[in-house]
Amino acid sequence: MDMKLPPAEELRLVDEELGRLDARRAELLARRAWLLGVLYSPAGRPAAPFGGTAPAETSPRGAQNALLTLGGILLAVAALAFTLVSWGSMGIAGRSAVLLAVTSAALAAPAVLLRRGLASTAAAVGALGLVLTVLDAYALHRVALPGTDGTGYAAVAAAVLAGVWAAYGGLLRGLRLPFPAAVAAAQLPLPLGAVAAGGGPAVVAWAAVLTAAADLLLLARPVVLAARITAGASAGVLAAWALLTGGWLSVTSPWTGAPLLVGCAALCLYAVRAARPAAGALAAVAGLAVVAAVGGPVRAALPSDWAVPVYVVCGLALGALWRPVGAVRIPDAVRAGFGLAGGGVAALGVVWALPPVLGGLLGPADRSAGVWSGAHAEPVPVGYPATAALVLLLAAGGAAATGRLWGRWGAVVLGWALLTALPVVLELPYAAGLAVRLVATGGALALAVRPGALTRGLPEPAPAPERPAGAWGAAWTAGAQAAPVAPGALLAWTGLAAGSASALLSALDTRAATFAVLGVLLGLFVAAAVLGAGAVREVASSAAVLAAAGLAGAGSAAAGFAPATAGLVLLLVPAGTAALAARFRSAAVEATGVAVGAVGLALTVPRPAVLALALALGGLIAAATALRPERRRAASWAAGALFLAAAWVRLAVWGVTVPEAYTLPVTVPALVVGFLRRRRDAAASSWVAYGPGLAATLLPSLVAVWSDPSWVRPLLLGTGALAVTLLGARFRLRAPLLLGGSVLALVAAHELAPYVVQLVGALPRWLPPAAAGLLLLAVGATYERRLREARRLRERLARMR
């Protein structure tokens, strides 16, 4: 190949050559498969039933292997039955001669078969010979050595068989089964020998460790793949058994289990070189074994409350190797495994320390006594070890020492959990517990105000890829830059909400604590609103409004105000937020003030007179807000609705039942608003401008007319409807014309209804059908002219507004 070509041209030539080689290889493989088929089925494929051809479901070699395997199994079963069942019918010489002859023949036959090229048959017969050697060993024990210990004999027999099978495999290289069988048999001598010698669990586990070490040494030897697979699997099983035994001993007998665990750890670390894909997992297992080995004796020498901290310290010390230490060179996979093991141990310790955290967070919610009763809830769980706080502290320090952003997040969460758990584990006095909860809340609030503090000192993140210009590209870039900070801010706000709720619930035990906690929270939130920016300022301002509302409510309760009066006091909060919003323009503060005002109105509902006053005050606040240009539209409508509701409630309190007293206060302002709108927009429809206002009075009054026996209401309503109809006709306005005319017609019908009923009762029964028939005839005779008049009327209405 010409090495002077440009790299791109040379790469193209290499790809073409590789493609030709792949095609040639595929062609040769297809030819080989065809030749094998011809070789093992010279008579050709058998004809399919009914003269058709069907594809073979298995190859000749597969069928041959299946038959040989089945035959070997049957011969092994027959030999086993002969040995166990028919053994007693022959003398000692005959039995020995039969087994020796059969075993010798089975072991010698594969050599002849291999020379003739019958590898599969040789493998089947060789496997039978291996099974027969096991039966020979069993027979030797039953006949020649019946008094020998069975376990010890099994250990010796396994060692002898392993050696014999290995030598047999070395003589007949064409057989693949002897070497894996020899490796499998070699797993038994040491463990069985330890059991036969009366060794305890530790001795047997050490025998398993030594055997597994021999397996690992075999993995580095150039032996057949099947033997290496058998050695690797056996080493894993034996090591797992030894690890479980060592873990159990580290609890029951630490000084016995510690060396065993160290040996298992060394075994796992040595296996890292032979099992690179699983290097991290093996290193993690080794790390856990070391933690258990070191922590077991230390734990046994200390009180039981210190057990978890001891293991956490060991785990953090191991996890520190996750980062390079001086000149010590540890493979990356091993360091990662150590870090995983140490972090896992620390995480388990944190889980053990969680109950006090949950008790400190949720315990104040268990309020069996009343608010301000002076009774304090017992810490839950009671008597939990105080070392839980130490575990949280150690875990927080370990997370912060990682030098990573996720570690700092973890340190913040664990530090907050530590402060939450302290009142429980240390059984602090009531005031001290409140102070600790407020400190946790203040820390979370400080982090929420400055979430970028978590990333200070960390390496700069990779630059964000370029994006198209425009709003979407700018938003994406801003999100990518804020991504490292967002989780920390979320954690901070979550801790802030939980800490505030816990402190406030705990403060409800006494009156002084309630005012103190609410005052501190108000100060913290105001400070956060002043120091923060953007969304932080909005959220902190809203929280400050809620704290102020809480102080107002607590003050009302302390003064002994009724709920309705307390509702009036709460209206001070939306009044204040409206004044502040005019200066600081905070939508969140306004929305929170509106929510507090709604709560205040709800408290006044049981007393309608106070509710009317509250609605009027709310309307006044909304009217003051409407002075701001950006709030004029929404606030003016809200003010009108609140004033109207106040008027209605007051009328109801006075016992007024006349509907016009409720509807006219709506109609007059609505008509004025409609008139002003049509002055600004001459194209506005009369239905939009005047329809709602007119309908607000005309329709309820019309309903009242049909149930009112007096003549005054129909007269007044009819006069008003006539005036509205004439004004609509004069100014060519569709809504007044149709609404006024319809109401006038219905009022007239109501007034004439009694006389019509009397007239119909006096007329003959045949007269109404006759009149109806004449009407239909008249309409039919003048059909076209009536259509023309109807069309003309519709056009006139269409020209109106």
Side-chain angles (χ1 to χ4, degrees):
M1 186 170 290
D2 190 1
M3 298 301 180
K4 298 179 181 180
L5 292 175
E9 182 65 16
E10 185 178 353
L11 178 61
R12 184 183 63 81
L13 294 176
V14 169
D15 289 340
E16 290 179 356
E17 187 65 20
L18 289 174
R20 285 193 292 270
L21 290 175
D22 289 339
R24 181 58 178 168
R25 185 174 185 275
E27 180 182 355
L28 292 175
L29 287 175
R31 181 63 178 175
R32 180 178 181 275
W34 181 84
L35 290 173
L36 288 174
V38 171
L39 180 63
Y40 288 99
S41 56
R45 297 179 181 271
F50 304 103
T53 59
E57 296 182 355
T58 182
S59 65
R61 177 63 61 87
Q64 178 191 21
N65 290 337
L67 293 175
L68 291 174
T69 302
L70 181 60
I73 293 174
L74 293 177
L75 288 176
V77 170
L80 183 62
F82 171 77
T83 304
L84 298 179
V85 179
S86 301
W87 191 256
S89 60
M90 301 179 63
I92 182 63
R95 286 177 284 183
S96 302
V98 169
L99 273 180
L100 180 61
V102 174
T103 303
S104 302
L107 293 176
V112 180
L113 295 173
L114 287 174
R115 285 196 298 269
R116 297 187 178 183
L118 301 176
S120 298
T121 307
V125 177
L128 176 62
L130 299 182
V131 174
L132 290 176
T133 56
V134 176
L135 295 178
D136 287 336
Y138 171 74
L140 180 62
H141 177 263
R142 289 292 303 271
V143 174
L145 304 169
T148 306
D149 177 62
T151 306
Y153 178 82
V156 174
V160 173
L161 288 176
V164 171
W165 290 349
Y168 182 67
L171 292 175
L172 300 179
R173 297 284 183 177
L175 298 180
R176 291 178 294 181
L177 185 60
F179 279 120
V183 172
Q187 310 304 311
L188 301 177
L190 287 180
L192 291 179
V195 174
V203 177
V204 178
W206 271 114
V209 169
L210 295 177
T211 305
D215 291 331
L216 294 179
L217 292 175
L218 183 62
L219 290 178
R221 305 284 295 174
V223 295
V224 295
L225 179 61
R228 297 179 63 191
I229 293 175
T230 304
S234 301
V237 173
L238 293 174
W241 178 24
L243 277 170
L244 292 176
T245 304
W248 173 66
L249 290 174
S250 70
V251 177
T252 59
S253 180
W255 289 103
T256 303
L260 179 59
L261 289 171
V262 172
C264 293
L267 198 65
C268 292
L269 291 177
Y270 181 81
V272 167
R273 301 174 58 187
R276 295 189 182 277
L282 290 172
V285 173
L288 292 175
V290 170
V291 169
V294 177
V298 178
R299 172 194 57 79
L302 295 175
S304 59
D305 290 352
W306 290 87
V308 177
V310 165
Y311 285 113
V312 170
V313 169
C314 295
L316 292 177
L318 179 69
L321 299 178
W322 175 69
R323 303 181 67 181
V325 181
V328 179
R329 300 184 60 84
I330 302 177
D332 294 341
V334 175
R335 288 193 293 107
F338 284 169
L340 180 62
V345 172
L348 291 175
V350 170
V351 171
W352 173 80
L354 280 183
V357 179
L358 297 178
L361 186 63
L362 304 177
D366 183 15
R367 185 163 302 283
S368 56
V371 176
W372 294 353
S373 62
H376 307 307
E378 291 293 331
V380 178
V382 180
Y384 206 82
T387 52
L390 177 61
V391 169
L392 294 173
L393 180 61
L394 291 172
T402 59
R404 297 291 190 271
L405 181 59
W406 56 265
R408 293 187 178 183
W409 291 341
V412 168
V413 174
L414 291 170
W416 179 87
L418 171 62
L419 292 176
T420 306
L422 281 179
V424 176
V425 297
L426 299 182
E427 297 183 2
L428 296 177
Y430 178 70
L434 274 181
V436 171
R437 289 184 172 91
L438 289 176
V439 169
T441 303
L445 186 59
L447 183 60
V449 174
R450 293 289 183 266
L454 286 174
T455 60
R456 191 172 301 154
L458 294 178
E460 291 292 333
E466 295 183 0
R467 292 284 170 175
W472 180 87
W476 190 94
T477 304
Q481 293 175 351
V485 181
L490 178 61
L491 292 175
W493 285 112
T494 304
L496 174 62
S500 301
S502 177
L504 187 56
L505 288 173
S506 181
L508 293 178
D509 290 349
T510 63
R511 179 180 303 178
T514 300
F515 283 100
V517 169
L518 285 173
V520 172
L521 291 178
L522 178 60
L524 290 175
F525 292 139
V526 170
V530 173
L531 298 176
V536 174
R537 174 176 295 175
E538 294 292 317
V539 177
S541 301
S542 300
V545 172
L546 293 176
L551 281 174
S556 300
F561 292 160
T565 308
L568 291 177
V569 174
L570 284 180
L571 290 180
L572 295 174
V573 175
T577 57
L580 290 174
R583 174 67 177 83
F584 298 105
R585 297 291 193 274
S586 175
V589 169
E590 290 183 90
T592 308
V594 170
V596 174
V599 174
L601 291 176
L603 291 175
T604 62
V605 169
R607 296 183 60 184
V610 181
L611 174 61
L613 176 59
L615 290 170
L617 292 175
L620 184 61
I621 296 171
T625 305
L627 297 176
R628 295 163 50 194
E630 71 276 9
R631 293 286 185 266
R632 182 166 299 161
R633 183 179 182 85
S636 60
W637 282 105
L642 289 171
F643 281 133
L644 178 61
W648 283 355
V649 173
R650 175 51 61 184
L651 290 173
V653 171
W654 288 339
V656 176
T657 58
V658 178
E660 288 77 12
Y662 297 89
T663 57
L664 285 176
V666 179
T667 295
V668 175
L671 292 178
V672 173
V673 172
F675 175 75
L676 294 177
R677 178 173 181 177
R678 281 186 58 82
R679 287 188 61 182
R680 293 196 309 268
D681 183 11
S685 171
S686 63
W687 285 109
V688 177
Y690 303 119
L694 293 174
T697 293
L698 292 176
L699 296 182
S701 298
L702 180 62
V703 174
V705 161
W706 287 89
S707 60
D708 189 354
S710 176
W711 58 271
V712 178
R713 187 187 300 276
L715 177 61
L716 294 177
L717 181 58
T719 302
L722 177 61
V724 170
T725 303
L726 293 177
L727 288 174
R730 168 67 182 79
F731 295 101
R732 302 177 64 189
L733 298 174
R734 186 184 305 171
L737 178 62
L738 293 181
L739 282 175
S742 301
V743 171
L744 181 61
L746 291 173
V747 170
H750 172 268
E751 294 302 311
L752 294 176
Y755 304 102
V756 172
V757 171
Q758 293 177 5
L759 179 61
V760 171
L763 292 176
R765 294 184 177 274
W766 54 266
L767 188 58
L774 291 174
L775 177 62
L776 291 176
L777 289 176
V779 172
T782 60
Y783 181 74
E784 292 185 1
R785 186 176 60 172
R786 300 288 180 252
L787 286 179
R788 189 163 53 250
E789 292 175 355
R791 192 178 300 112
R792 192 178 298 116
L793 178 60
R794 185 182 63 186
E795 291 173 356
R796 289 199 190 100
L797 289 175
R799 288 194 294 271
M800 293 183 178
R801 298 206 178 260

